[in-house]
Amino acid sequence: MTVRRDFKEPARCRSDQVIGREELFTAAREQLTRGGSVLLHGPAGIGKSTVLRALAADYGESARTVLRCSATESESHLPFLALADLFGLVLDEISDKLPAAQRTALESALTGRGESTLQRDGLALRLAVLSALRALAATGPVLLVADDLQWLDSASAELLGFAARRLGDTPVQLLCAVRTEGQEYDRHLRASPPDTLAVRLNPLSRAQVSALLDHRGYTDLPRSTMREIHRTSGGNPLFALELGRALGESPTPPRPGEPLPVPTSLRALVLSRLDMLSDEARRTLLVASAGARPTLALLHAAGRENAEAETAQAAALGLLATEPEGPAVRFAHPLISAALYAEAPAQERRAVHAALSTAASDPIERARNLALATTGTDPEVAARLAEAAALARDRGAPSVAASLGLLAARHTPPDGTPAPDDRRLQAAEDAITAGEVDLARDIAREVLTRATVPAERIRAWEVVIEAAGQSLGEVDAVFPQALADAGDDPRLLALVHYRLAWRKLIVEGDFAEARQEAAHTAELAARGGDRRTELMALSFQSSTETLMGHPNAPQTIKRALKEPQDPYVACHHNGVGAARFRWLLMSDQLPEARSTITALLREVRRRGMVESEVHFQRFLAETELRSGHCGRALDLARESLRLARDSGIGLGASAMLASLAEASGGDVDRALALAREAAEHAEEDGDQMYVSRALAALGHAQLVAGDAAGAVGSLRRVRELEQGLGITDPARGRWQGDLAEALVRVGEPGEAQDVIDVTREHALRLGRESVLAVLDRSEAMVRAALGDHEAALSRLTSVQDRLAKLGYGLEEARAAFALARLRTLRPGAGAGPTSYDEAARLFRRCRALPWLRQVDLAAAEGQAQPAAVAPLAAASSDALEGLASMERQVAALVMEGATNREIAARLFISVKTVEATLTRVYRKLGIRSRVDIVRLAAGRHAK
């Protein structure tokens, strides 16, 4: 039987709804599947109960009996209460299976009709619980689910611990959750079965908090607000949901610089100990909550003379974290600080900020506090805030600059100079730099409702377009309005036409039109004296020409590199530095490309340019991947993806590169999922350029996973897309070799050769040496599939040497792998070892784990086979003339008596491809089995 009680969970508690806990959920699920037990632990609100319910709902179907208890603090003093919850409904089923003394003790404890106590009936009760669990397990597996172990009554806890330690091989599993701080779960683990897995639930990341709030319907929160929710909640899902709910119900969102509204439910939860503080200690904590980086020195400077004693009192109550080393005053949880600040009256908060505006040593912090202490407009305060914003910008903190800029605008009089909207637009541009695109867009849209000056309106339109990111199709209606606002001013027109050039590329997928639009932009900007826009346009033009394989690309790059330069353009992800990097990477100059992108990454991090950092991190990962440093590339790609998820910038591109890195150095299943995610992002954004990149990554992952047919489908579409886009440089996506190899594997060597021939023509014209080497490797596979093993061996040997000299470590290893396979298949042909040792060594050097697994599999299969593939003409009969080339090859080998595995090995294809090819042969010849093919051969010999 299964005791369900209230165990049936709503759909949202199922495993597919456990946001941000997928990995630990999988680990716990696997532990339960193996027959082990699980102990979930972590602080209050971290999501233990949610995961517990999801695991129980997911795994509970496997158990015949499910017992459950959930303790509460108010009932923890009642003895045997948890025991009654667990066994109350099954007592009748098991009581007659227990010895009389044990049955009497257990019934007395569960019903309360006797006077059973641990002191009087301790042994009998202990043995009764153990016997009861064994009796239930005799008819099928038992799952015991217990939440909030910390509130379990001591008698029940003692009895369950006694039984758990003695269950042995009895099919009884425990799934429990306990509230802990730090690692304080040892005593609960000691009371669990020996094979218990302890799983700590840690705080959620910002991206996971965002996903959780989205799932619960809080989808309209700005990214800057989401960041503040994550900071204030400390990644605690319960706290984050309560903060999100409060914001969703609040009619007015908090203004820049103000903390989040903390709902009453959370204030009561975290401030229950405040009543034990003296009034003076509470004021000292309020000053600390208002300061950005509170220290004892700051508290003294703000007038808190007894700060040491008052903070010590707060620390003793658990409100402050004790840090004996260092001067910082840190709250035990960010929510305590936020709730304390929210509780204080507005007048008291302003007084605290006024004190901090003179006490703080940092000019940015002084200006922020001055603004929060001031009501209404004040030109002097606005000027100080604008200066602080500029200082934050110079320090590489554009998010802080945006917040200060909005405060400056709020305190600027309507007739002030600069005007309030000028300061708002500067704040919007800072927000763009910081990756807070939703905040930037909202500011710009607000300014557009009242702006009349063309330059101001174009500046706002630029922010709106920039905030759209890759989804430029969503702001199509903006361009006619912006062109009308620009009038005939070449400087303003250049700004709009630069955005139109990007639209031509991303939305329409027309490289030629995009190139012409960029060239026109550069001319307009030069006439208008706007060097920054001119350089951005030239950088864009050169990048487009590089991808097109246009002969003018080197000259355009040189024009973009001419002085005078602009520091912003030099390090922007669409600027001249990035254009030069792409040229170096595609020209096989890997060391120079690495040093260039490393310097650019360092500079954008210094400046706080989040979007550029996302892209440059990805570019560096791509460089390392091409160099064969798969482990390093994987780390960089994962970091780029994490940053992209946190900021909402470049998600598709980062997922695409992470897929390539996972397929080369990580997990192939993750690579497939990431490639599909990248394709979905590109399709949703209408980004034609990155649809092809994402599909190329998908095709590569499918090839590594052994799905040659899937790879062919994905990469054929890439070929069609890039032909339509006008992309001719094969070094852009480098997918052509994968397509040719996949075509060979599915039995289409003719199409593979066509891909190689067309690509080789472009690679020769552009001097893409590494692409040519990879194409030669693919052609060697075609030759091997057609039976020309000697030519294949010779070409592969040459290819491996060329790729090694160019520094393409992973491609070199792939060539060594192909060479080893061919030598193993044809041990008598060509010199060299017949083992996979060299390929394994090279893949190991690259940390290419998926490829190493392929080498191990190939070596284990021992693919050495005798005899070459006989020329088809000598083995065929008239009946086979209507077959395709690969079909005739397979049929000829069947005639020789080769098995499917032998055919696969000798033709360099998979067994599945052999099977599919034979099916086509049977259909075309009107026969049913390989025996009929052998009969055809026998008939030929009889003639």
Side-chain angles (χ1 to χ4, degrees):
M1 66 172 291
T2 301
V3 180
R4 291 291 177 191
R5 302 180 66 187
D6 62 344
F7 178 68
K8 193 70 174 178
E9 298 301 329
R12 67 180 177 85
C13 291
R14 303 294 292 186
S15 61
D16 57 345
Q17 301 297 343
V18 182
I19 305 296
R21 305 299 190 190
E22 293 78 9
E23 289 189 13
L24 67 84
F25 185 92
T26 300
R29 182 68 172 79
E30 290 175 353
Q31 169 74 358
L32 292 170
T33 303
R34 289 192 294 267
S37 296
V38 173
L39 175 67
L40 306 170
H41 65 99
I46 203 67
K48 302 180 299 298
S49 296
T50 299
V51 175
L52 182 86
R53 291 194 297 267
L55 280 168
D58 192 63
Y59 181 72
E61 302 293 338
S62 303
R64 181 184 183 278
T65 304
V66 178
L67 308 175
R68 178 172 177 169
C69 69
S70 182
T72 62
E73 184 177 12
S74 62
E75 299 172 338
S76 60
H77 65 286
L78 299 174
F80 306 122
L81 184 62
L83 206 65
D85 284 344
L86 290 169
F87 293 106
L89 296 182
V90 296
L91 183 60
D92 292 341
E93 178 188 350
I94 60 174
S95 61
D96 60 346
K97 300 175 184 177
L98 303 181
Q102 294 179 23
R103 180 171 62 250
T104 300
L106 185 60
E107 288 177 348
S108 175
L110 296 185
T111 62
R113 288 195 292 268
E115 296 182 359
S116 182
T117 64
L118 273 181
Q119 287 73 24
R120 194 182 71 179
D121 302 317
L123 182 58
L125 274 174
R126 287 174 171 83
L127 294 175
V129 171
L130 181 60
S131 298
L133 290 172
R134 285 173 173 165
L136 289 170
T139 58
V142 176
L143 178 66
L144 192 155
V145 182
D147 200 1
D148 284 319
L149 282 186
Q150 74 277 3
W151 304 131
L152 221 65
D153 65 274
S154 59
S156 296
E158 166 64 24
L159 294 172
L160 289 175
F162 175 87
R165 292 189 295 271
R166 289 164 175 80
L167 285 169
D169 295 332
T170 307
V172 176
Q173 296 169 264
L174 273 66
L175 173 58
C176 306
V178 60
R179 181 188 300 180
T180 58
E181 296 295 338
Q183 300 296 319
E184 302 168 2
Y185 63 93
D186 289 352
R187 65 185 181 91
H188 300 286
L189 193 59
R190 286 194 295 271
S192 303
D195 60 349
T196 299
L197 173 68
V199 177
R200 177 168 179 79
L201 275 69
N202 292 311
L204 299 179
S205 69
R206 190 191 307 175
Q208 291 166 342
V209 166
S210 177
L212 176 65
L213 290 169
D214 284 347
H215 175 65
R216 295 299 178 88
Y218 305 117
T219 56
D220 297 327
L221 298 174
R223 191 166 301 278
S224 54
T225 302
M226 196 71 72
R227 182 188 62 203
E228 190 62 21
I229 289 176
H230 178 257
R231 188 196 67 79
T232 304
S233 68
N236 184 297
L238 172 65
F239 298 170
L241 285 170
E242 286 298 300
L243 290 168
R245 181 182 60 78
L247 283 166
E249 295 174 354
S250 175
T252 56
R255 294 185 296 182
E258 292 182 344
L260 297 177
V262 180
T264 304
S265 58
L266 290 186
R267 293 188 199 184
L269 178 65
V270 301
L271 298 181
S272 57
R273 286 162 287 185
L274 273 183
D275 292 339
M276 303 173 68
L277 284 175
S278 65
D279 290 343
E280 290 302 311
R282 185 165 182 154
R283 290 193 189 94
T284 295
L285 288 194
L286 178 60
V287 176
S289 72
R293 293 176 295 277
T295 62
L296 288 173
L298 178 65
L299 296 177
H300 280 299
R304 307 311 303 167
E305 297 177 356
N306 299 316
E308 285 87 351
E310 289 158 357
T311 54
Q313 182 186 1
L317 292 172
L319 294 166
L320 294 179
T322 55
E323 294 187 3
E325 297 180 4
V329 175
R330 187 169 63 85
F331 284 88
H333 192 282
L335 191 59
I336 297 174
S337 172
L340 179 65
Y341 187 92
E343 281 280 294
Q347 184 176 356
E348 190 174 349
R349 290 203 300 251
R350 284 196 295 272
V352 165
H353 286 298
L356 288 172
S357 69
T358 58
S361 59
D362 185 81
I364 292 177
E365 187 62 10
R366 287 199 301 271
R368 185 184 74 87
N369 279 290
L370 178 62
L372 295 174
T374 307
T375 58
T377 60
D378 187 320
E380 184 179 346
V381 171
R384 285 185 59 182
L385 285 164
E387 292 171 2
L391 180 58
R393 198 176 304 120
D394 291 341
R395 288 181 180 178
S399 178
V400 176
S403 176
L404 292 168
L406 287 175
L407 286 171
R410 195 172 89 200
H411 288 286
T412 301
D415 57 350
T417 304
D421 279 347
D422 282 340
R423 284 177 166 154
R424 289 189 180 93
L425 287 174
Q426 178 62 64
E429 290 161 358
D430 287 330
I432 286 285
T433 302
E436 297 178 11
V437 294
D438 44 5
L439 174 62
R441 180 180 55 247
D442 292 345
I443 296 170
R445 291 286 189 187
E446 180 194 349
V447 170
L448 284 165
T449 61
R450 53 180 174 266
T452 57
V453 178
E456 197 172 77
R457 291 186 62 79
I458 294 299
R459 192 178 176 189
W461 286 128
E462 276 205 287
V463 171
V464 172
I465 297 169
E466 183 76 17
Q470 302 296 102
S471 306
L472 285 178
E474 296 179 0
V475 291
D476 266 349
V478 165
F479 292 102
Q481 299 177 65
L483 285 170
D485 285 334
D488 57 0
D489 186 329
R491 192 174 190 279
L492 298 181
L493 283 170
L495 294 171
V496 181
H497 279 279
Y498 176 72
R499 305 294 175 179
L500 282 169
W502 277 103
R503 187 193 173 282
K504 292 285 185 184
L505 182 63
I506 292 175
V507 179
E508 298 181 17
D510 193 327
F511 272 69
E513 286 289 329
R515 173 184 173 271
Q516 291 180 8
E517 193 71 67
H520 180 48
T521 299
E523 294 172 3
L524 287 169
R527 291 210 321 259
D530 183 355
R531 182 60 174 165
R532 172 174 291 188
T533 302
E534 181 186 7
L535 288 172
M536 291 293 289
L538 289 171
S539 300
F540 176 76
Q541 181 183 344
S542 66
S543 294
T544 307
E545 290 173 347
T546 298
L547 295 175
M548 293 172 66
H550 197 284
N552 288 356
Q555 289 77 18
T556 307
I557 291 176
K558 289 180 181 178
R559 286 177 61 198
L561 287 168
K562 284 183 178 178
E563 296 294 340
Q565 284 293 311
D566 183 293
Y568 173 82
V569 177
C571 65
H572 191 275
H573 59 279
N574 290 322
V576 64
R580 181 173 179 271
F581 160 76
R582 291 188 189 93
W583 176 260
L584 291 169
L585 188 67
M586 295 172 69
S587 301
D588 299 325
Q589 300 179 58
L590 296 182
E592 293 86 348
R594 182 184 294 105
S595 61
T596 297
I597 199 62
T598 299
L600 288 170
L601 182 59
R602 187 184 307 115
E603 179 61 16
V604 297
R605 281 175 173 165
R606 187 188 71 79
R607 289 171 172 262
M609 299 169 67
V610 174
E611 183 172 8
S612 294
E613 181 181 356
V614 171
H615 290 296
F616 289 163
Q617 186 105 350
R618 174 170 55 84
F619 290 168
L620 181 56
E622 184 175 3
T623 307
E624 298 294 356
L625 192 59
R626 292 198 184 185
S627 302
H629 304 152
C630 298
R632 170 72 171 149
L634 185 59
D635 291 342
L636 288 166
R638 286 174 175 172
E639 176 62 21
S640 174
L641 183 59
R642 184 199 64 75
L643 187 59
R645 292 194 196 285
D646 283 351
S647 64
I649 294 171
L651 268 172
S654 293
M656 175 275 298
L657 201 282
S659 171
L660 291 173
E662 291 284 357
S664 299
D667 182 88
V668 178
D669 289 337
R670 191 177 294 129
L672 291 165
L674 285 168
R676 292 189 175 99
E677 178 187 339
E680 289 172 6
H681 280 300
E683 295 277 10
E684 289 172 2
D685 292 342
D687 187 343
Q688 297 297 310
M689 187 168 62
Y690 264 102
V691 168
S692 68
R693 293 295 308 269
L695 288 174
L698 177 59
H700 179 72
Q702 289 168 323
L703 182 67
V704 176
D707 181 11
V712 167
S714 299
L715 296 174
R716 276 176 174 163
R717 190 178 169 203
V718 175
R719 192 183 190 192
E720 294 170 1
L721 284 170
E722 295 206 350
Q723 285 175 346
L725 289 168
I727 298 174
T728 62
D729 194 330
R732 184 242 184 182
R734 303 177 68 87
W735 49 266
Q736 295 85 355
D738 285 344
L739 175 55
E741 183 175 337
L743 286 166
V744 169
R745 292 190 188 183
V746 300
E748 297 291 346
E751 184 181 346
Q753 189 63 55
D754 178 64
V755 170
I756 292 166
D757 291 342
V758 171
T759 307
R760 181 179 283 133
E761 181 181 348
H762 293 300
L764 283 168
R765 175 174 59 85
L766 297 167
R768 304 303 191 221
E769 292 297 328
S770 64
V771 174
L772 290 168
V774 169
L775 292 174
D776 283 351
R777 184 185 68 205
S778 302
E779 190 166 41
M781 296 179 183
V782 174
R783 297 285 181 88
L786 296 175
D788 191 355
H789 291 72
E790 287 75 13
L793 283 167
S794 174
R795 182 155 298 198
L796 282 172
T797 304
S798 169
V799 164
Q800 183 180 342
D801 292 340
R802 287 156 58 197
L803 288 168
K805 291 176 181 176
L806 288 167
Y808 283 76
L810 183 58
E811 299 292 0
E812 176 194 357
R814 287 180 64 178
F817 185 29
L819 186 59
R821 288 189 64 186
L822 195 54
R823 281 174 171 162
T824 303
L825 301 177
R826 300 274 298 165
T834 58
S835 74
Y836 291 93
D837 292 348
E838 174 69 1
R841 182 185 69 80
L842 292 173
F843 281 131
R844 196 173 294 112
R845 183 183 69 184
C846 295
R847 284 184 59 192
L849 302 182
W851 289 102
L852 265 175
R853 285 189 283 272
Q854 289 195 29
V855 172
D856 291 341
L857 181 62
E861 288 177 349
Q863 296 182 359
Q865 300 294 337
V869 179
L872 186 62
S876 64
S877 66
D878 293 341
L880 305 184
E881 289 180 357
L883 300 179
S885 172
M886 180 57 69
E887 294 165 352
R888 292 199 302 273
Q889 288 275 15
V890 171
L893 288 169
V894 170
M895 288 177 179
E896 295 179 3
T899 66
N900 285 2
R901 183 171 292 279
E902 290 169 344
I903 295 170
R906 292 165 68 179
L907 294 183
F908 222 62
I909 58 178
S910 69
V911 173
K912 287 185 179 180
T913 299
V914 174
E915 293 169 351
T917 304
L918 279 175
T919 300
R920 293 197 300 271
V921 169
Y922 299 156
R923 185 175 64 250
K924 289 182 178 181
L925 297 182
I927 59 180
R928 296 183 178 180
S929 69
R930 58 192 298 125
V931 175
D932 294 328
I933 296 178
V934 175
R935 286 173 180 161
L936 283 175
R940 172 176 58 86
H941 289 307
K943 289 183 180 179

